[in-house]
Amino acid sequence: MTEQPPNYPPPPGGYGYPPPPPGGYGYPPPQGVGTNSMAIASLVCSLFGWLCIIGPILGLIFGFLALGQIKQTGQRGRGMAIAGIVIGGLVIALGVIFGILSAIAKHSPGGDSGAPAVVVIVEPQAVSPTVAA
């Protein structure tokens, strides 16, 4: 039997262990999860995609990458990533349709045959025998 006095208070460190951190045990509370930067890039690239050809393609790529990151990390921005994918896809589709229609219109027979608008009429002239020799 040990001889300890009754109501013996524990030592300040808790029997050799450091005191628990304030707020409890375990992992610290999660910090504020921000918006995924790839989702923002996807939306911006897709919106300005009509300025250059590479924009909507980058918007699609960034959008799909953002969805994967958001699924793993739980960040915000899923709606922006989906909007970037949809807008990028629409801009690409409209560009392809416009290109096909312009190619068809360029090669279709119509009012413009491709001939020059100016016609030059050349009259034959007599050649003198002394000049020809």
Side-chain angles (χ1 to χ4, degrees):
M1 184 171 210
T2 62
E3 298 188 19
Q4 290 184 355
N7 297 331
Y8 181 77
Y15 298 108
Y17 295 104
Y25 296 97
Y27 294 105
Q31 301 295 326
V33 180
T35 305
N36 188 294
S37 58
M38 288 282 207
I40 296 170
S42 170
L43 186 60
V44 169
C45 287
S46 294
L47 286 175
F48 291 111
W50 56 274
L51 294 175
C52 64
I53 295 171
I54 195 77
I57 296 169
L58 289 175
L60 283 173
I61 293 170
F62 290 153
F64 285 117
L65 290 174
L67 285 178
Q69 288 178 356
I70 290 169
K71 194 173 192 179
Q72 290 177 353
T73 63
Q75 289 178 312
R76 294 182 308 206
R78 185 173 187 272
M80 280 193 284
I82 292 173
I85 292 170
V86 169
I87 293 170
L90 287 175
V91 170
I92 290 173
L94 289 176
V96 168
I97 290 170
F98 179 73
I100 291 172
L101 290 178
S102 66
I104 290 172
K106 183 177 181 181
H107 296 293
S108 67
D112 183 21
S113 64
V118 178
V119 178
V120 178
I121 299 175
V122 179
E123 295 179 18
Q125 297 181 1
V127 178
S128 66
T130 57
V131 177

